[in-house]
Amino acid sequence: MRSECVGIINLDNKNDLTMNQLTNVRPIASLPIAGRYRVIDFSLSNMVNSGITNVGIFAKEKYRSLTDHLGSGKDWDLSRKTGGLFIFSPENTKDRSKYPYRNGDIYNILANIDYIERCEEEYILIAPSYMIGNIDYTEMIDYHKESDNDITILYKSIDNADVDFYETSTLNIDGNRVINTGTNIGTSKNANVSMETYIMKRTDFIKTIYKCVSEGTHSYIEDFIAESINKLKIGAYEYKGYLKCINSIKSYYSMKDELLQEDIANELLYSDRKILTKEQNQSPTIYSDSAKVENSFVATGCVIEGTVKNSIIFRKVHIKEGAVIENSVIMQNCTIEKDAQLQNVIFDKNVYISEGKELKGDIEYPVVIGKNTAI
């Protein structure tokens, strides 16, 4: 049965998220995470698992790695004649460079509005890529259909806003009605964090885009919603599962410890709603007699001869005898030579560290080594 909802994954964030070396050559959406996935796999899998089979991804910049990872969408069962997966580039015209206000997700969507106009689904669901959770959107869609809301926002009530979800939008809610919005500046533990996931009628969304552009009032959907609270009925739907916002080096690194908790790993990665990713047919990991692995996630295709503790190891990593890796994230195709000592580090792909070298970061501020680096 055809879904009633078209999905939009919006990569153009108002806060212009960057993560230093990790996002120099890629958007956060294609950042490797959890040993074998990319950040976008979670939002995309959530949509597919919720029966949404028509998904448009609106990119912002540096999206070559994204298109390489997603391909035709076949690994998500989105390579199909009706609906499927579509990746849209940002507006690239003289108007964008001439008029700075044309930067923003509203203008990005306007440049590709014909895709949404051609869709036949009644509703549109818009989500970011960097909110990590295993989410069943069908419950939110059903709630929206039964309510008389113009827009419904997905949110999570958290008690760690002073240390996480920094600079994300927050909602002030009366019952299920949003009465105003704010920004998490880390001064309070408790907050209703907006997951920047919205559902509304597709035709209303199209009218909203044209209205914002014709009047020049907003460049971002988030701003339009915030200023429409007294004009539209904007409802809130609470998500109660695990959620992580990947919007900084610190949040990316801290997710390592959360993934190594059994209950979180089971909910996020091993539930009935599978997180799908690009298939990589790798051989099993080889552990030598000298290998010691403790409380770590090790992907396929690795050779482990040294010691690994409290770490995430991606595919095709070679850790040689005598090397010690602690509290670290080591991405694909890295080589750690004999007797190297690594603690509180993040290695991007294809990093080589020579024999006997020692790198030690702080538990709050890990050492980050960029892609294709030799030390």
PDB file of all heavy atoms in Angstrom, residues 110-136:
ATOM      1  N   LEU A 110      12.918  25.522  -2.592  1.00  0.00           N
ATOM      2  CA  LEU A 110      12.306  26.217  -3.726  1.00  0.00           C
ATOM      3  C   LEU A 110      12.971  25.824  -5.049  1.00  0.00           C
ATOM      4  O   LEU A 110      12.293  25.647  -6.066  1.00  0.00           O
ATOM      5  CB  LEU A 110      12.411  27.726  -3.530  1.00  0.00           C
ATOM      6  CG  LEU A 110      11.900  28.584  -4.693  1.00  0.00           C
ATOM      7  CD1 LEU A 110      10.383  28.455  -4.826  1.00  0.00           C
ATOM      8  CD2 LEU A 110      12.317  30.044  -4.512  1.00  0.00           C
ATOM      9  N   ALA A 111      14.297  25.666  -5.020  1.00  0.00           N
ATOM     10  CA  ALA A 111      15.026  25.322  -6.249  1.00  0.00           C
ATOM     11  C   ALA A 111      14.621  23.951  -6.791  1.00  0.00           C
ATOM     12  O   ALA A 111      14.842  23.663  -7.961  1.00  0.00           O
ATOM     13  CB  ALA A 111      16.535  25.359  -5.979  1.00  0.00           C
ATOM     14  N   ASN A 112      14.017  23.127  -5.925  1.00  0.00           N
ATOM     15  CA  ASN A 112      13.614  21.779  -6.333  1.00  0.00           C
ATOM     16  C   ASN A 112      12.147  21.509  -6.003  1.00  0.00           C
ATOM     17  O   ASN A 112      11.754  20.367  -5.784  1.00  0.00           O
ATOM     18  CB  ASN A 112      14.506  20.741  -5.637  1.00  0.00           C
ATOM     19  CG  ASN A 112      15.977  20.946  -5.922  1.00  0.00           C
ATOM     20  OD1 ASN A 112      16.474  20.604  -6.979  1.00  0.00           O
ATOM     21  ND2 ASN A 112      16.699  21.531  -4.963  1.00  0.00           N
ATOM     22  N   ILE A 113      11.345  22.569  -5.969  1.00  0.00           N
ATOM     23  CA  ILE A 113       9.959  22.456  -5.517  1.00  0.00           C
ATOM     24  C   ILE A 113       9.123  21.581  -6.446  1.00  0.00           C
ATOM     25  O   ILE A 113       8.106  21.003  -6.029  1.00  0.00           O
ATOM     26  CB  ILE A 113       9.324  23.865  -5.391  1.00  0.00           C
ATOM     27  CG1 ILE A 113       8.018  23.807  -4.578  1.00  0.00           C
ATOM     28  CG2 ILE A 113       9.101  24.485  -6.752  1.00  0.00           C
ATOM     29  CD1 ILE A 113       8.206  23.567  -3.119  1.00  0.00           C
ATOM     30  N   ASP A 114       9.548  21.451  -7.713  1.00  0.00           N
ATOM     31  CA  ASP A 114       8.764  20.636  -8.644  1.00  0.00           C
ATOM     32  C   ASP A 114       8.682  19.185  -8.205  1.00  0.00           C
ATOM     33  O   ASP A 114       7.693  18.502  -8.481  1.00  0.00           O
ATOM     34  CB  ASP A 114       9.332  20.735 -10.058  1.00  0.00           C
ATOM     35  CG  ASP A 114      10.793  20.358 -10.118  1.00  0.00           C
ATOM     36  OD1 ASP A 114      11.535  20.649  -9.161  1.00  0.00           O
ATOM     37  OD2 ASP A 114      11.213  19.765 -11.137  1.00  0.00           O
ATOM     38  N   TYR A 115       9.717  18.710  -7.501  1.00  0.00           N
ATOM     39  CA  TYR A 115       9.673  17.336  -6.980  1.00  0.00           C
ATOM     40  C   TYR A 115       8.507  17.175  -6.007  1.00  0.00           C
ATOM     41  O   TYR A 115       7.730  16.212  -6.091  1.00  0.00           O
ATOM     42  CB  TYR A 115      10.998  17.000  -6.284  1.00  0.00           C
ATOM     43  CG  TYR A 115      10.905  15.845  -5.305  1.00  0.00           C
ATOM     44  CD1 TYR A 115      10.696  14.543  -5.745  1.00  0.00           C
ATOM     45  CD2 TYR A 115      11.008  16.070  -3.929  1.00  0.00           C
ATOM     46  CE1 TYR A 115      10.596  13.490  -4.852  1.00  0.00           C
ATOM     47  CE2 TYR A 115      10.913  15.033  -3.025  1.00  0.00           C
ATOM     48  CZ  TYR A 115      10.710  13.739  -3.488  1.00  0.00           C
ATOM     49  OH  TYR A 115      10.597  12.698  -2.598  1.00  0.00           O
ATOM     50  N   ILE A 116       8.360  18.115  -5.077  1.00  0.00           N
ATOM     51  CA  ILE A 116       7.298  18.022  -4.086  1.00  0.00           C
ATOM     52  C   ILE A 116       5.933  18.239  -4.737  1.00  0.00           C
ATOM     53  O   ILE A 116       4.949  17.596  -4.370  1.00  0.00           O
ATOM     54  CB  ILE A 116       7.549  19.038  -2.949  1.00  0.00           C
ATOM     55  CG1 ILE A 116       8.893  18.731  -2.267  1.00  0.00           C
ATOM     56  CG2 ILE A 116       6.416  19.007  -1.929  1.00  0.00           C
ATOM     57  CD1 ILE A 116       9.307  19.755  -1.243  1.00  0.00           C
ATOM     58  N   GLU A 117       5.867  19.121  -5.725  1.00  0.00           N
ATOM     59  CA  GLU A 117       4.597  19.369  -6.412  1.00  0.00           C
ATOM     60  C   GLU A 117       4.124  18.136  -7.184  1.00  0.00           C
ATOM     61  O   GLU A 117       2.911  17.919  -7.322  1.00  0.00           O
ATOM     62  CB  GLU A 117       4.754  20.558  -7.359  1.00  0.00           C
ATOM     63  CG  GLU A 117       4.900  21.880  -6.626  1.00  0.00           C
ATOM     64  CD  GLU A 117       5.160  23.048  -7.562  1.00  0.00           C
ATOM     65  OE1 GLU A 117       5.801  22.834  -8.620  1.00  0.00           O
ATOM     66  OE2 GLU A 117       4.737  24.175  -7.229  1.00  0.00           O
ATOM     67  N   ARG A 118       5.044  17.339  -7.688  1.00  0.00           N
ATOM     68  CA  ARG A 118       4.666  16.146  -8.445  1.00  0.00           C
ATOM     69  C   ARG A 118       4.234  14.992  -7.550  1.00  0.00           C
ATOM     70  O   ARG A 118       3.601  14.040  -8.016  1.00  0.00           O
ATOM     71  CB  ARG A 118       5.837  15.667  -9.320  1.00  0.00           C
ATOM     72  CG  ARG A 118       6.135  16.562 -10.507  1.00  0.00           C
ATOM     73  CD  ARG A 118       7.004  15.816 -11.524  1.00  0.00           C
ATOM     74  NE  ARG A 118       8.201  15.258 -10.911  1.00  0.00           N
ATOM     75  CZ  ARG A 118       9.376  15.869 -10.862  1.00  0.00           C
ATOM     76  NH1 ARG A 118       9.515  17.081 -11.393  1.00  0.00           N
ATOM     77  NH2 ARG A 118      10.424  15.300 -10.307  1.00  0.00           N
ATOM     78  N   CYS A 119       4.604  15.034  -6.286  1.00  0.00           N
ATOM     79  CA  CYS A 119       4.249  13.944  -5.372  1.00  0.00           C
ATOM     80  C   CYS A 119       2.728  13.864  -5.204  1.00  0.00           C
ATOM     81  O   CYS A 119       2.021  14.874  -5.310  1.00  0.00           O
ATOM     82  CB  CYS A 119       4.904  14.160  -4.003  1.00  0.00           C
ATOM     83  SG  CYS A 119       6.699  14.021  -4.013  1.00  0.00           S
ATOM     84  N   GLU A 120       2.245  12.686  -4.907  1.00  0.00           N
ATOM     85  CA  GLU A 120       0.813  12.479  -4.732  1.00  0.00           C
ATOM     86  C   GLU A 120       0.418  12.267  -3.271  1.00  0.00           C
ATOM     87  O   GLU A 120      -0.773  12.220  -2.945  1.00  0.00           O
ATOM     88  CB  GLU A 120       0.356  11.275  -5.565  1.00  0.00           C
ATOM     89  CG  GLU A 120       0.571  11.474  -7.069  1.00  0.00           C
ATOM     90  CD  GLU A 120       0.161  10.253  -7.874  1.00  0.00           C
ATOM     91  OE1 GLU A 120      -0.245   9.243  -7.242  1.00  0.00           O
ATOM     92  OE2 GLU A 120       0.249  10.293  -9.113  1.00  0.00           O
ATOM     93  N   GLU A 121       1.401  12.112  -2.394  1.00  0.00           N
ATOM     94  CA  GLU A 121       1.105  11.869  -0.981  1.00  0.00           C
ATOM     95  C   GLU A 121       0.419  13.087  -0.353  1.00  0.00           C
ATOM     96  O   GLU A 121       0.687  14.237  -0.731  1.00  0.00           O
ATOM     97  CB  GLU A 121       2.393  11.559  -0.220  1.00  0.00           C
ATOM     98  CG  GLU A 121       3.012  10.222  -0.564  1.00  0.00           C
ATOM     99  CD  GLU A 121       3.895  10.241  -1.794  1.00  0.00           C
ATOM    100  OE1 GLU A 121       3.944  11.294  -2.485  1.00  0.00           O
ATOM    101  OE2 GLU A 121       4.539   9.227  -2.087  1.00  0.00           O
ATOM    102  N   GLU A 122      -0.437  12.842   0.622  1.00  0.00           N
ATOM    103  CA  GLU A 122      -1.192  13.935   1.245  1.00  0.00           C
ATOM    104  C   GLU A 122      -0.343  14.723   2.230  1.00  0.00           C
ATOM    105  O   GLU A 122      -0.504  15.944   2.364  1.00  0.00           O
ATOM    106  CB  GLU A 122      -2.425  13.378   1.971  1.00  0.00           C
ATOM    107  CG  GLU A 122      -3.308  14.454   2.580  1.00  0.00           C
ATOM    108  CD  GLU A 122      -4.565  13.908   3.216  1.00  0.00           C
ATOM    109  OE1 GLU A 122      -4.759  12.657   3.198  1.00  0.00           O
ATOM    110  OE2 GLU A 122      -5.373  14.715   3.738  1.00  0.00           O
ATOM    111  N   TYR A 123       0.575  14.038   2.918  1.00  0.00           N
ATOM    112  CA  TYR A 123       1.361  14.675   3.965  1.00  0.00           C
ATOM    113  C   TYR A 123       2.850  14.690   3.610  1.00  0.00           C
ATOM    114  O   TYR A 123       3.317  13.910   2.783  1.00  0.00           O
ATOM    115  CB  TYR A 123       1.169  13.952   5.302  1.00  0.00           C
ATOM    116  CG  TYR A 123      -0.260  13.948   5.786  1.00  0.00           C
ATOM    117  CD1 TYR A 123      -1.094  12.853   5.536  1.00  0.00           C
ATOM    118  CD2 TYR A 123      -0.786  15.031   6.475  1.00  0.00           C
ATOM    119  CE1 TYR A 123      -2.407  12.848   5.968  1.00  0.00           C
ATOM    120  CE2 TYR A 123      -2.104  15.037   6.915  1.00  0.00           C
ATOM    121  CZ  TYR A 123      -2.913  13.942   6.660  1.00  0.00           C
ATOM    122  OH  TYR A 123      -4.211  13.941   7.083  1.00  0.00           O
ATOM    123  N   ILE A 124       3.572  15.591   4.269  1.00  0.00           N
ATOM    124  CA  ILE A 124       5.025  15.642   4.121  1.00  0.00           C
ATOM    125  C   ILE A 124       5.647  15.615   5.508  1.00  0.00           C
ATOM    126  O   ILE A 124       5.171  16.285   6.434  1.00  0.00           O
ATOM    127  CB  ILE A 124       5.452  16.903   3.334  1.00  0.00           C
ATOM    128  CG1 ILE A 124       6.961  16.865   3.042  1.00  0.00           C
ATOM    129  CG2 ILE A 124       5.065  18.188   4.030  1.00  0.00           C
ATOM    130  CD1 ILE A 124       7.389  17.869   1.986  1.00  0.00           C
ATOM    131  N   LEU A 125       6.676  14.792   5.668  1.00  0.00           N
ATOM    132  CA  LEU A 125       7.404  14.697   6.928  1.00  0.00           C
ATOM    133  C   LEU A 125       8.832  15.153   6.675  1.00  0.00           C
ATOM    134  O   LEU A 125       9.523  14.610   5.811  1.00  0.00           O
ATOM    135  CB  LEU A 125       7.380  13.269   7.475  1.00  0.00           C
ATOM    136  CG  LEU A 125       7.998  13.099   8.869  1.00  0.00           C
ATOM    137  CD1 LEU A 125       7.215  12.073   9.683  1.00  0.00           C
ATOM    138  CD2 LEU A 125       9.463  12.668   8.799  1.00  0.00           C
ATOM    139  N   ILE A 126       9.266  16.148   7.421  1.00  0.00           N
ATOM    140  CA  ILE A 126      10.592  16.732   7.262  1.00  0.00           C
ATOM    141  C   ILE A 126      11.419  16.411   8.495  1.00  0.00           C
ATOM    142  O   ILE A 126      10.974  16.624   9.626  1.00  0.00           O
ATOM    143  CB  ILE A 126      10.502  18.258   7.089  1.00  0.00           C
ATOM    144  CG1 ILE A 126       9.532  18.595   5.953  1.00  0.00           C
ATOM    145  CG2 ILE A 126      11.875  18.866   6.837  1.00  0.00           C
ATOM    146  CD1 ILE A 126       9.058  20.017   5.977  1.00  0.00           C
ATOM    147  N   ALA A 127      12.625  15.880   8.295  1.00  0.00           N
ATOM    148  CA  ALA A 127      13.483  15.509   9.418  1.00  0.00           C
ATOM    149  C   ALA A 127      14.923  15.889   9.097  1.00  0.00           C
ATOM    150  O   ALA A 127      15.323  15.916   7.931  1.00  0.00           O
ATOM    151  CB  ALA A 127      13.381  14.013   9.696  1.00  0.00           C
ATOM    152  N   PRO A 128      15.745  16.175  10.124  1.00  0.00           N
ATOM    153  CA  PRO A 128      17.174  16.395   9.900  1.00  0.00           C
ATOM    154  C   PRO A 128      17.893  15.053   9.853  1.00  0.00           C
ATOM    155  O   PRO A 128      17.285  14.007  10.091  1.00  0.00           O
ATOM    156  CB  PRO A 128      17.589  17.193  11.139  1.00  0.00           C
ATOM    157  CG  PRO A 128      16.704  16.624  12.220  1.00  0.00           C
ATOM    158  CD  PRO A 128      15.384  16.291  11.542  1.00  0.00           C
ATOM    159  N   SER A 129      19.170  15.084   9.572  1.00  0.00           N
ATOM    160  CA  SER A 129      19.921  13.824   9.548  1.00  0.00           C
ATOM    161  C   SER A 129      20.627  13.554  10.860  1.00  0.00           C
ATOM    162  O   SER A 129      20.935  12.403  11.183  1.00  0.00           O
ATOM    163  CB  SER A 129      20.969  13.867   8.429  1.00  0.00           C
ATOM    164  OG  SER A 129      21.962  14.842   8.709  1.00  0.00           O
ATOM    165  N   TYR A 130      20.897  14.581  11.653  1.00  0.00           N
ATOM    166  CA  TYR A 130      21.839  14.431  12.765  1.00  0.00           C
ATOM    167  C   TYR A 130      21.173  14.130  14.118  1.00  0.00           C
ATOM    168  O   TYR A 130      21.857  14.090  15.138  1.00  0.00           O
ATOM    169  CB  TYR A 130      22.724  15.672  12.886  1.00  0.00           C
ATOM    170  CG  TYR A 130      21.975  16.953  13.145  1.00  0.00           C
ATOM    171  CD1 TYR A 130      21.736  17.379  14.441  1.00  0.00           C
ATOM    172  CD2 TYR A 130      21.527  17.735  12.090  1.00  0.00           C
ATOM    173  CE1 TYR A 130      21.058  18.558  14.680  1.00  0.00           C
ATOM    174  CE2 TYR A 130      20.842  18.905  12.321  1.00  0.00           C
ATOM    175  CZ  TYR A 130      20.623  19.316  13.617  1.00  0.00           C
ATOM    176  OH  TYR A 130      19.929  20.487  13.854  1.00  0.00           O
ATOM    177  N   MET A 131      19.871  13.908  14.134  1.00  0.00           N
ATOM    178  CA  MET A 131      19.199  13.429  15.342  1.00  0.00           C
ATOM    179  C   MET A 131      19.153  11.900  15.266  1.00  0.00           C
ATOM    180  O   MET A 131      18.436  11.330  14.438  1.00  0.00           O
ATOM    181  CB  MET A 131      17.788  14.004  15.446  1.00  0.00           C
ATOM    182  CG  MET A 131      17.747  15.501  15.706  1.00  0.00           C
ATOM    183  SD  MET A 131      18.148  15.880  17.435  1.00  0.00           S
ATOM    184  CE  MET A 131      17.873  17.661  17.449  1.00  0.00           C
ATOM    185  N   ILE A 132      19.911  11.238  16.118  1.00  0.00           N
ATOM    186  CA  ILE A 132      20.100   9.793  16.027  1.00  0.00           C
ATOM    187  C   ILE A 132      19.147   9.072  16.973  1.00  0.00           C
ATOM    188  O   ILE A 132      19.196   9.267  18.193  1.00  0.00           O
ATOM    189  CB  ILE A 132      21.549   9.400  16.387  1.00  0.00           C
ATOM    190  CG1 ILE A 132      22.541  10.143  15.498  1.00  0.00           C
ATOM    191  CG2 ILE A 132      21.744   7.898  16.273  1.00  0.00           C
ATOM    192  CD1 ILE A 132      22.483   9.769  14.049  1.00  0.00           C
ATOM    193  N   GLY A 133      18.280   8.251  16.407  1.00  0.00           N
ATOM    194  CA  GLY A 133      17.364   7.431  17.192  1.00  0.00           C
ATOM    195  C   GLY A 133      16.744   6.383  16.289  1.00  0.00           C
ATOM    196  O   GLY A 133      16.866   6.451  15.060  1.00  0.00           O
ATOM    197  N   ASN A 134      16.093   5.414  16.883  1.00  0.00           N
ATOM    198  CA  ASN A 134      15.359   4.399  16.123  1.00  0.00           C
ATOM    199  C   ASN A 134      13.877   4.731  16.310  1.00  0.00           C
ATOM    200  O   ASN A 134      13.257   4.335  17.300  1.00  0.00           O
ATOM    201  CB  ASN A 134      15.697   2.999  16.630  1.00  0.00           C
ATOM    202  CG  ASN A 134      15.242   1.921  15.670  1.00  0.00           C
ATOM    203  OD1 ASN A 134      14.201   2.041  15.039  1.00  0.00           O
ATOM    204  ND2 ASN A 134      16.018   0.857  15.564  1.00  0.00           N
ATOM    205  N   ILE A 135      13.327   5.497  15.366  1.00  0.00           N
ATOM    206  CA  ILE A 135      12.046   6.178  15.558  1.00  0.00           C
ATOM    207  C   ILE A 135      10.974   5.598  14.643  1.00  0.00           C
ATOM    208  O   ILE A 135      11.210   5.438  13.440  1.00  0.00           O
ATOM    209  CB  ILE A 135      12.205   7.689  15.275  1.00  0.00           C
ATOM    210  CG1 ILE A 135      13.333   8.279  16.135  1.00  0.00           C
ATOM    211  CG2 ILE A 135      10.900   8.428  15.540  1.00  0.00           C
ATOM    212  CD1 ILE A 135      13.780   9.654  15.680  1.00  0.00           C
ATOM    213  N   ASP A 136       9.820   5.307  15.216  1.00  0.00           N
ATOM    214  CA  ASP A 136       8.663   4.874  14.437  1.00  0.00           C
ATOM    215  C   ASP A 136       7.810   6.107  14.126  1.00  0.00           C
ATOM    216  O   ASP A 136       7.073   6.598  14.976  1.00  0.00           O
ATOM    217  CB  ASP A 136       7.858   3.840  15.224  1.00  0.00           C
ATOM    218  CG  ASP A 136       6.694   3.263  14.425  1.00  0.00           C
ATOM    219  OD1 ASP A 136       6.500   3.708  13.272  1.00  0.00           O
ATOM    220  OD2 ASP A 136       5.993   2.385  14.944  1.00  0.00           O
TER     221      ASP A 136
END
